[in-house]
Amino acid sequence: MPDRDSRAKLIHRYLDDSLNSTEERDLMASLERSSEARRQFVEEAFLTHDLREAMREADIRSFIVSGEGEVSAESADRLKTRPSRRVYSIALRGGLAAAVLIAVALWIPRAVSDKAARDKGVPDAAAIADRPSTEKMGQAESAKSVGTIVQQRECKWVEGSNSWRSGDLLPPRTLLSLESGAAEVALENGVRLVLSGPCEVQLVNEMRGRVFRGSLVAKVPSGAHGYTLTTPSSQVVDLGTEFGVAVDRSGKSEVHVFTGEVISRWSGADKGQGKPLRLHQNDGARYGLRKSDTTLITADETRFIRDLAPRLPLADLPPLPVRKNLALWLAADRMIETDASGGVQSWSDLLCDPSQTFQVALQLDPNARPHLVPDAMNGRPAVRFDGVDDYLVTTPLETTDSQTIFVVLGLNNMRATEGQIINYNGPPHRELSAFPTIPGVLHLSERRFSGGGFRLAGFVYPGGHNAEMAVGSHVRKTLLAGSPELKAPIAISFRYDPVANSAALHVNGKLVAQKSAPWPVGLTSRKVIGSHGAKDGFYLNADIAEIVIYNQALSDSELKSVFGYLAARYGDFSEKVDQKAN
């Protein structure tokens, strides 16, 4: 059996996916035999996560270091007091560690037996069920995507360059050459860039960009702190902010901070770098072609286009009673664009607050578009998914560990199918390993049985092939054929609350299933509506009239009020909403 140090090296290489088959077999055998080895595996996995976070902090720290190799007292204090994202290390000391160890204990025998079966040439059934099949929406290419063109306003792209469409996936090092108009780009990590023509910008990767000329505004969420833009005369590192960058034809640049703060410095053709400047809200800096040509200025937001989002007047929005921490709100009677055949090519977010980031669910392939049905639910429109190949994919959307999802479904036929209502995994999808992955993937699914029954499930999938790997987060309810709840429409919610360790499924306002919620799920990802996030299958066979996602676990009274709102809009289940619902 490997000693602790040797085993640590094997574990690190396993986490980096660099073990050969012999080493992997040795590690699996060690984990099978020893509870101490399993505990070490969990500890090393969490430490690896923390190390990667620390490396990102170090990148920011190195930028703050001045040319003389010193860090200002203010910068040092700021780094010491920055909120830590090491929540999983804290969780390791509590119930999550125990849950992971249980998962390891469940996983090791299966992993070893599955490997033995594969060595004999016998594929295991679960592996076959979970094996990706034909890729859809160009996932081989989208896995290399940096971001997406979200929307455009009177855009004219430079002749001879790519003419981008809204929804196009952008590979690393994409050069965007905009002659006029404005365009919004959503990076995979949640960063939003609003470009104003004439402008030339390169998307190096998710965390780095170059502005050669023109202006843009960057909106950076908490999960992407450290995002960096460079110009011919400056560098800017985000510390949680919205800021603008402008570059003239000579290469001179300006930085304007609208909210939050950045660190910027001169960076030009001369040797060395300028001294870093910490800029807060309403601060700005102007950089010339020489290091000495650096001037502090006041930020001027009137020189930039900060928002392209189509925002309806508040009076035109449906009366949704809870609007705090809204991540996504789609209603089929508003903000939908269809093609000539009624296929939905875009379904836009309803925005209630100026601080909300605009999202949109898209489908560029006409053959994979669900269709808008004007009178699908009591005279109201809904989007019909055919259960064969229809689905939509949102722009990169930040979601948190605590979640509440509402969906209004119409069950338009009795054909036996199994589909996913919404899946939080891509594309480009995360490849989950056999060992539980942090964070897990949340999804809401449905299944219509041949006898007419119907099953709903809320699930967090952290890896592996079996339900036990979810460590109790699989919440489902089967409704028998003839159940009154199956009368369309049906309103469901899935509330996932790690703080209260509760995963709860409600149908028409009534609690129908509840289990624990020990697994973290917060991440920035595209959300797939109507299909699996990674595999070509599990297509939804139902209508969707409304989807509301909150980045919080709603209280019982808030759940009740939202169900009441949905009942008033869609009618059929209003009398079935349990006024005492949990």
Side-chain angles (χ1 to χ4, degrees):
M1 178 183 296
D3 60 28
R4 184 175 180 85
D5 290 342
S6 299
R7 190 166 56 231
K9 293 178 182 178
L10 289 175
I11 292 170
H12 291 159
R13 292 181 60 201
Y14 176 88
L15 295 171
D16 290 334
D17 197 25
S18 62
L19 283 183
N20 61 41
S21 58
T22 301
E23 291 170 326
E24 183 175 352
R25 184 169 57 249
D26 290 345
L27 177 60
M28 295 301 104
S30 173
L31 294 175
E32 182 183 13
R33 292 191 297 266
S34 169
S35 61
E36 174 58 30
R38 293 194 290 273
R39 182 174 296 278
Q40 184 184 0
F41 190 110
V42 174
E43 291 171 352
E44 297 292 349
F46 278 91
L47 288 172
T48 296
H49 177 273
D50 288 346
L51 177 61
R52 288 169 179 164
E53 290 295 308
M55 288 174 67
R56 190 173 63 147
E57 288 285 316
D59 287 341
I60 299 175
R61 182 188 295 270
S62 67
F63 185 87
I64 297 175
V65 174
S66 70
E68 289 75 27
E70 297 178 349
V71 179
S72 69
E74 181 188 12
S75 296
D77 290 342
R78 176 66 179 174
L79 281 172
K80 290 178 183 177
T81 58
R82 282 190 68 195
S84 173
R85 299 186 72 238
R86 300 173 63 183
V87 294
Y88 304 134
S89 289
I90 296 171
L92 177 59
R93 302 186 186 101
L96 183 56
V100 175
L101 289 170
I102 293 170
V104 173
L106 290 166
W107 166 68
I108 293 298
R110 180 183 182 91
V112 173
S113 64
D114 287 351
K115 183 171 180 58
R118 290 194 300 272
D119 289 343
K120 294 179 182 178
V122 180
D124 65 287
I128 292 173
D130 203 59
R131 181 183 300 154
S133 57
T134 305
E135 292 177 328
K136 60 190 180 187
M137 196 178 168
Q139 285 184 357
E141 292 77 15
S142 67
K144 300 176 183 177
S145 166
V146 171
T148 307
I149 299 288
V150 178
Q151 53 186 327
Q152 304 184 43
R153 180 187 295 171
E154 299 177 350
C155 278
K156 182 179 180 182
W157 299 97
V158 172
E159 187 175 352
S161 70
N162 283 331
S163 294
W164 302 99
R165 302 174 301 165
S166 294
D168 279 347
L169 297 175
L170 308 172
R173 308 190 73 82
T174 290
L175 186 65
L176 299 171
S177 298
L178 184 61
E179 181 174 320
S180 61
E184 183 173 3
V185 175
L187 301 185
E188 299 296 346
N189 58 2
V191 172
R192 291 298 182 99
L193 305 175
V194 180
L195 285 62
S196 301
C199 184
E200 189 168 52
V201 175
Q202 185 179 42
L203 309 178
V204 180
N205 55 41
E206 288 185 7
M207 293 300 293
R208 288 183 57 216
R210 295 191 180 106
V211 185
F212 298 106
R213 67 184 180 99
S215 65
L216 67 73
V217 169
K219 304 176 185 181
V220 184
S222 59
H225 287 182
Y227 178 74
T228 302
L229 283 175
T230 62
T231 78
S233 56
S234 61
Q235 286 180 297
V236 187
V237 175
D238 155 81
L239 293 179
T241 189
E242 179 185 355
F243 64 94
V245 172
V247 181
D248 68 16
R249 289 186 177 277
S250 71
K252 297 176 183 178
S253 61
E254 294 182 2
V255 179
H256 299 245
V257 180
F258 308 132
T259 61
E261 57 184 316
V262 305
I263 296 208
S264 69
R265 67 183 176 193
W266 180 88
S267 177
D270 290 350
K271 293 182 179 179
Q273 301 282 352
K275 197 167 185 177
L277 301 174
R278 183 181 292 272
L279 304 176
H280 299 82
Q281 184 173 350
N282 298 323
D283 292 341
R286 180 179 294 124
Y287 297 97
L289 302 183
R290 296 176 300 177
K291 188 186 300 185
S292 59
D293 296 336
T294 299
T295 307
L296 292 177
I297 61 176
T298 299
D300 182 3
E301 65 177 84
T302 64
R303 293 180 51 192
F304 298 85
I305 297 176
R306 295 177 59 185
D307 189 15
L308 297 181
R311 298 178 184 272
L312 295 175
L314 290 179
D316 292 344
L317 293 174
L320 180 67
V322 181
R323 299 186 176 186
K324 183 181 178 181
N325 294 325
L326 263 177
L328 182 69
W329 182 14
L330 303 177
D333 58 349
R334 289 165 171 83
M335 304 287 285
I336 282 188
E337 292 186 11
T338 60
D339 58 25
S341 69
V344 175
Q345 51 193 12
S346 71
W347 191 0
S348 295
D349 197 7
L350 299 180
L351 301 176
C352 307
D353 187 278
S355 65
Q356 283 180 257
T357 300
F358 173 70
Q359 308 294 337
V360 59
L362 298 161
Q363 180 52 265
L364 298 184
D365 181 0
N367 296 320
R369 288 173 182 162
H371 280 70
L372 182 64
V373 180
D375 56 354
M377 287 190 199
N378 297 325
R380 287 192 177 273
V383 177
R384 178 159 297 171
F385 296 80
D386 64 5
V388 177
D389 57 7
D390 292 352
Y391 67 101
L392 298 168
V393 181
T394 73
T395 41
L397 170 62
E398 183 178 18
T399 44
T400 54
D401 287 335
S402 296
Q403 285 283 287
T404 309
I405 307 170
F406 290 88
V407 181
V408 178
L409 283 179
L411 309 178
N412 56 74
N413 65 61
M414 299 291 289
R415 179 163 55 88
T417 58
E418 182 173 5
Q420 301 219 335
I421 301 167
I422 188 165
N423 186 298
Y424 277 23
N425 190 19
H429 60 272
R430 297 162 58 220
E431 295 286 353
L432 302 188
S433 64
F435 183 79
T437 304
I438 297 172
V441 170
L442 183 150
H443 60 82
L444 193 60
S445 61
E446 57 79 29
R447 183 175 182 181
R448 171 78 76 171
F449 298 103
S450 57
F454 188 75
R455 186 174 70 196
L456 294 165
F459 189 49
V460 172
Y461 180 75
H465 298 302
N466 51 21
E468 287 87 352
M469 296 301 292
V471 199
S473 60
H474 193 180
V475 183
R476 60 185 180 183
K477 173 66 175 179
T478 298
L479 304 173
L480 300 178
S483 296
E485 292 88 352
L486 292 183
K487 182 181 180 182
I490 180 172
I492 61 176
S493 78
F494 180 50
R495 180 176 63 188
Y496 192 78
D497 187 359
V499 176
N501 195 24
S502 171
L505 185 67
H506 288 75
V507 175
N508 294 338
K510 182 177 181 181
L511 179 66
V512 296
Q514 186 170 9
K515 285 192 176 181
S516 60
W519 209 260
V521 297
L523 79 165
T524 298
S525 67
R526 300 169 189 268
K527 318 308 180 190
V528 182
I529 301 171
S531 179
H532 193 279
K535 294 178 290 188
D536 184 16
F538 298 102
Y539 291 99
L540 177 67
N541 178 36
D543 297 340
I544 296 181
E546 196 154 340
I547 298 175
V548 188
I549 300 178
Y550 294 92
N551 276 338
Q552 63 172 319
L554 266 58
S555 67
D556 290 348
S557 61
E558 289 171 327
L559 276 175
K560 174 183 171 182
S561 67
V562 175
F563 270 114
Y565 152 78
L566 295 174
R569 271 177 58 85
Y570 299 101
D572 262 3
F573 62 87
S574 60
E575 60 193 41
K576 299 198 289 273
V577 172
D578 186 351
Q579 299 302 314
K580 298 180 181 179
N582 288 295

